[in-house]
Amino acid sequence: MNSNSLHKYRPFPPVSLPDRTWPDRVLERAPIWCSVDLRDGNQALPIPMSVEEKIEMFDLLVRIGFKQIEVGFPSAADTEFNFLRRLADENRIPDDVTVQVLVQCREHLIRRTFEALEGIPRAIVHLYNSTSPLQRRITFRDASREEIKRIAVEGTTLVRELASQVPGSQRIDFQYSPESFSDTEPDFSLEVCEAVKAIWQPTREQPMILNLPATVEWSTPNVHADQIEWFCRHISGRDTVVISLHTHNDRGTGIAATELGLLAGADRVEGTLFGNGERTGNLDLVVVALNLNSHGIATGLDFSDLPSIRAVYERCTRMTVPERQPYAGELVFTAFSGSHQDAIKKGFDRRTEELAQDPDLTWGVPYLTIDPRDIGRSYEAIIRINSQSGRGGVAYVLDRDHGLDLPKTMHHQVGHAIYTHADRLGRELSSDEIREYFHAHFVNLRTRFELLDFDLDHHASGKPGEVLCQASLRSDGSTLNLSGTGNGPINAFVHALDAAGLKNFNVTDYRSHAVRGGSDADSAAFVQLRNANTDELVWGCGIDSSIEMAGLRALVSAMNLLV
Ligand code: KIV
Ligand code: ZN
């Protein structure tokens, strides 16, 4: 925005609450959850859900564990009405689930809503009207506070009357929302809610819900928390009302506003899966619930298979979950950065060691707030390789996907080569491409030197432990026959090379292991050489079905890399 536009805007008025208590509180338990996917979420879709899609979504919400589900606005459209009737007629509402229906404060709509609820054992009728000065002035054409309050009072009176006429087998609870609470003067929201409450007359046994929506998010989350704490302190008969939050996300802080609102005393939260909803969306319930889980708090919601929940959501709503969406996004457990990859690999390695001593070890892997497997994400995507990646990441992929456990001091050489390759290509490398590149540039190399033949004799010298090696080596196009003795195959081969004048290095390290997960029982060996002239250190790798041969191939690979 250009500064010339700033004259149009004003600071948002704070709530005067110098003795606010919410900043010192800690979240210790989950709120009551209410999904509004089928109403607020649905009404924001370019193509609203069909009845079949709504049923699939409803079943999903039940499976996740929602006990309160706003199913629509049955008086507004036939699809909404028919959907509710299908739920009722097909006995799809479990005994422990209450459906909620939204309705404006208008007589014919309220009556039609009660028709839609016929025979449904438990329901919450959710009445709303807008209360903010902006809405009073623009939408209601300069309506006075009294006029706005009257709309709410008359609506509530009718709901109460119709609710009193339902059969004893039916329980109707009541929810009232002063829509646009977030920019309504706190004293006026309170006045309207008190008036509504006086008519409904909730009790501790049958409380009513006062839902205080941030219909539009106009302010910072601390102001929202102040509004909620102020309201909770001033409403009469606090134990007869359930205070509910319903944040939208216009400033991108809907989740923070809800979390602070809970600290400020709210009991209940409305929102949608993945934050679907009008404009920037409703509150993302998945994030709030998993944030609580990540602090060890049970929520009653089961997101242990988030990918399949996401798949149903994307199919029914035709929306996509962005790649950076907390918990559910494709990339949110992926590290491309080298230093992050190193730390994650170290974290997993240490965790594996420590779990052996303490099976109840708390989670603690750098850069990962939770264990991705707890929400059905695999470790596959955690480390992905592009030009920003580091040695640890490449080593991690070779280890995890291809069973190759590179020596620590080799990570830098291999990592550098592979992410330079990614940089040249200007893209991410797949796990198979990483393996191919590693094989082409580090394994069984035969560029200048090639081991053509090799024979070991463990008894030739008659000295225990000493071996004689005879090898045939191609060097710069000619074939050389070499012979040497030593206390092992590598040592004997190095002596043979020395005798042929080909040893301009010292062997500084050697490792080997069986390749995990390979189709045949291959061994991988790694040899590090130090250039006798330059002190340069290089690693080479050999892979062979014989462990001895793997070692020699590793040595020849390193010789090729040394030149
Ligand atoms: O955002 C809002 O204010 C609403 C109300 C109808 C509760 O969705
Ligand atoms: Zn809303």
Side-chain angles (χ1 to χ4, degrees):
M1 195 183 294
N2 178 309
S3 59
N4 293 337
S5 308
L6 294 181
H7 69 278
K8 294 187 213 160
Y9 305 101
R10 293 283 175 274
F12 191 85
V15 181
S16 173
L17 196 65
D19 57 345
R20 61 181 64 78
T21 60
W22 62 261
D24 294 325
R25 299 218 189 111
V26 174
L27 289 181
E28 280 165 352
R29 59 168 200 277
I32 301 164
W33 304 104
C34 176
S35 150
V36 296
D37 287 84
L38 294 162
R39 196 277 300 172
D40 222 354
N42 187 52
Q43 75 187 31
L45 294 174
I47 306 172
M49 285 180 258
S50 65
V51 170
E52 292 309 322
E53 285 162 344
K54 283 188 118 188
I55 285 178
E56 186 176 359
M57 192 65 143
F58 180 81
D59 290 345
L60 173 72
L61 295 166
V62 168
R63 270 202 311 282
I64 292 171
F66 288 100
K67 302 298 176 207
Q68 297 184 358
I69 302 176
E70 189 164 83
V71 290
F73 203 146
S75 61
D78 284 348
T79 323
E80 305 269 294
F81 190 96
N82 296 340
F83 167 61
L84 183 53
R85 291 317 313 163
R86 276 274 299 270
L87 291 183
D89 297 344
E90 294 174 9
N91 272 326
R92 287 178 171 274
I93 308 167
D95 290 346
D96 60 349
V97 171
T98 303
V99 291
Q100 175 169 311
V101 284
L102 182 73
V103 61
Q104 282 173 350
C105 297
R106 295 168 70 181
E107 182 178 346
H108 69 289
L109 299 180
I110 295 173
R111 290 190 185 281
R112 177 85 175 137
T113 302
F114 274 83
E115 280 166 33
L117 287 175
E118 234 176 76
I120 293 179
R122 291 159 313 283
I124 300 168
V125 174
H126 176 188
L127 188 73
Y128 76 100
N129 67 314
S130 209
T131 52
S132 71
L134 189 61
Q135 294 274 4
R136 297 194 309 255
R137 191 165 70 80
I138 309 284
T139 318
F140 294 95
R141 298 172 179 273
D142 296 310
S144 67
R145 283 184 172 207
E146 269 317 305
E147 284 167 311
I148 295 294
K149 186 165 75 178
R150 196 176 320 126
I151 294 172
V153 164
E154 285 174 3
T156 307
T157 308
L158 181 57
V159 174
R160 180 149 181 84
E161 183 192 320
L162 296 177
S164 69
Q165 292 165 10
V166 300
S169 55
Q170 212 178 357
R171 172 177 168 152
I172 302 290
D173 282 306
F174 180 57
Q175 167 165 330
Y176 173 71
S177 293
E179 196 208 337
S180 63
F181 167 85
S182 48
D183 58 323
T184 301
E185 311 87 326
D187 69 307
F188 184 52
S189 310
L190 182 70
E191 186 182 327
V192 177
C193 289
E194 287 287 9
V196 161
K197 185 170 154 282
I199 293 161
W200 189 262
Q201 300 200 349
T203 60
R204 286 174 71 166
E205 293 66 41
Q206 195 159 357
M208 67 173 283
I209 302 166
L210 287 173
N211 186 49
L212 307 177
T215 305
V216 177
E217 184 174 57
W218 298 100
S219 69
T220 49
N222 61 309
V223 172
H224 185 250
D226 282 350
Q227 290 169 334
I228 301 296
E229 182 165 340
W230 187 93
F231 191 95
C232 288
R233 280 197 213 175
H234 287 85
I235 189 79
S236 61
R238 175 67 184 86
D239 55 354
T240 65
V241 292
V242 171
I243 300 295
S244 175
L245 305 175
H246 176 114
T247 58
H248 283 262
N249 197 34
D250 299 80
R251 297 168 57 93
T253 54
I255 292 166
T258 291
E259 291 182 331
L260 300 193
L262 288 173
L263 291 175
D267 312 296
R268 180 179 184 268
V269 164
E270 291 192 348
T272 59
L273 297 180
F274 310 111
N276 180 39
E278 198 86 319
R279 308 181 309 281
T280 49
N282 280 70
L283 168 81
D284 183 342
L285 289 168
V286 179
V287 174
V288 177
L290 288 173
N291 283 353
L292 288 167
N293 283 166
S294 78
H295 288 182
I297 299 168
T299 61
L301 301 181
D302 181 356
F303 291 114
S304 59
D305 188 1
L306 199 52
S308 76
I309 293 171
R310 176 181 152 177
V312 175
Y313 163 83
E314 291 188 333
R315 189 168 60 247
C316 292
T317 62
R318 288 164 279 270
M319 299 295 286
T320 46
V321 172
E323 289 170 340
R324 302 286 180 201
Q325 182 99 348
Y327 301 107
E330 205 53 49
L331 292 179
V332 300
F333 294 114
T334 300
F336 285 104
S337 136
S339 61
H340 296 190
Q341 293 177 343
D342 281 343
I344 291 171
K345 180 170 171 8
K346 283 182 188 145
F348 276 119
D349 290 348
R350 176 72 79 89
R351 187 167 173 78
T352 309
E353 283 162 35
E354 291 177 355
L355 270 176
Q357 314 301 323
D358 175 8
D360 295 325
L361 189 69
T362 52
W363 180 250
V365 172
Y367 301 105
L368 297 177
T369 56
I370 60 163
D371 184 342
R373 284 192 303 194
D374 290 340
I375 54 170
R377 307 286 306 262
S378 72
Y379 289 160
E380 307 289 282
I382 289 181
I383 290 186
R384 285 169 53 177
I385 306 301
N386 65 12
S387 61
Q388 305 302 306
S389 308
R391 48 209 169 130
V394 169
Y396 179 82
V397 170
L398 287 170
D399 188 359
R400 180 195 64 195
D401 297 349
H402 307 296
L404 290 168
D405 184 10
L406 271 52
K408 285 238 166 0
T409 51
M410 188 182 190
H411 292 187
H412 175 73
Q413 189 188 342
V414 176
H416 183 263
I418 289 182
Y419 58 78
T420 304
H421 176 56
D423 195 26
R424 270 196 303 270
L425 294 179
R427 63 171 173 81
E428 184 189 349
L429 298 179
S430 71
S431 172
D432 284 344
E433 285 176 318
I434 291 166
R435 178 186 176 278
E436 273 162 36
Y437 191 90
F438 177 69
H439 271 254
H441 294 84
F442 291 93
V443 181
N444 299 353
L445 299 185
R446 52 181 81 169
T447 39
R448 180 171 169 192
F449 302 109
E450 180 181 8
L451 188 58
L452 300 171
D453 198 14
F454 184 82
D455 188 49
L456 274 185
D457 187 341
H458 290 267
H459 309 289
S461 72
K463 291 191 194 150
E466 193 168 86
V467 288
L468 167 69
C469 111
Q470 290 183 307
S472 150
L473 184 80
R474 183 180 57 75
S475 165
D476 288 332
S478 30
T479 302
L480 308 173
N481 291 317
L482 313 175
S483 162
T485 53
N487 57 9
I490 293 202
N491 190 245
F493 184 52
V494 169
H495 286 154
L497 289 166
D498 201 10
L502 292 173
K503 180 178 170 282
N504 64 336
F505 57 79
N506 293 308
V507 178
T508 43
D509 209 341
Y510 167 79
R511 311 284 165 89
S512 67
H513 68 81
V515 179
R516 273 176 292 109
S519 50
D520 39 27
D522 275 342
S523 294
F526 305 88
V527 168
Q528 188 191 46
L529 303 181
R530 181 192 298 278
N531 186 318
N533 304 319
T534 64
D535 272 355
E536 184 199 0
L537 289 167
V538 293
W539 279 99
C541 177
I543 297 182
D544 198 277
S545 53
S546 136
I547 189 160
E548 287 172 348
M549 204 58 185
L552 296 167
R553 290 199 186 288
L555 177 64
V556 175
S557 295
M559 284 169 64
N560 280 309
L561 288 167
L562 210 55
V563 290

